[in-house]
Amino acid sequence: GGEVAVPDSIAAFSDSGHDIADVGNNGLQNGTLPGPPSPFRCPECGGALWELREGHLIRFQCHVGHGFNSDSLVAAQSNELEEALWAALRALQESAALRRRMAEHARGRGMKAIADAYEEHARESDVRAEMVRGVLTGEPARKTLEAPTGVKG
């Protein structure tokens, strides 16, 4: 029950040593998708992954042809997650820097309330950045920053 055989054309191509993603797969057009859809997406192209069972092994393949075993899919997802967290850290740091610059500009024009609001948002971004940094490094967030009011972890 639930086991789907790998179509002969895909199995033969995979056994040939070629990467099916290099030459393409027309499974979407002709309805010969390799197996049932999985809830996962391809870390290479973002497309849906289909689940293929080969005996006791489970593999995943997208319609483009990118293929993964369970371990390589976990590794690819972990790498993608780490890249996203680093991007989030950079974005939060840039947001804090921009808001501080905007606060300085507002303060120079005599707009204290606006400057204070920008500073508060900058501190919130700093706190969030430290949380993300802690996830990336495995270290707790530095205690030099206190969460501003209204920021929930």
Side-chain angles (χ1 to χ4, degrees), residues 120-121 123-125 127-128 131 146-153:
E120 179 69 13
H121 288 131
R123 284 190 296 276
E124 290 172 4
S125 290
V127 168
R128 290 183 175 103
M131 289 177 185
E146 273 189 39
T149 57
V151 173
K152 296 177 181 158

Side-chain angles (χ1 to χ4, degrees), residues 59-152:
R59 291 190 327 112
F60 300 90
Q61 183 176 330
C62 70
H63 75 273
V64 172
H66 297 119
F68 304 89
N69 64 31
S70 297
D71 290 335
S72 66
L73 182 58
V74 166
Q77 285 179 338
S78 295
N79 186 55
E80 195 175 34
L81 177 59
E82 184 172 358
E83 287 176 10
L85 287 169
W86 282 112
L89 178 60
R90 284 190 306 274
L92 287 164
Q93 290 172 331
E94 289 173 9
S95 175
L98 176 60
R99 289 170 192 264
R100 282 195 181 86
R101 186 172 288 185
M102 294 166 68
E104 183 180 321
H105 180 72
R107 198 165 274 114
R109 297 187 67 188
M111 297 185 245
K112 182 183 178 335
I114 292 173
D116 290 346
Y118 281 137
E119 285 290 341
E120 179 69 13
H121 288 131
R123 284 190 296 276
E124 290 172 4
S125 290
D126 286 336
V127 168
R128 290 183 175 103
E130 281 303 309
M131 289 177 185
V132 172
R133 183 187 310 283
V135 170
L136 284 163
T137 64
E139 298 174 8
R142 290 181 256 172
K143 295 190 179 192
T144 57
L145 296 173
E146 273 189 39
T149 57
V151 173
K152 296 177 181 158

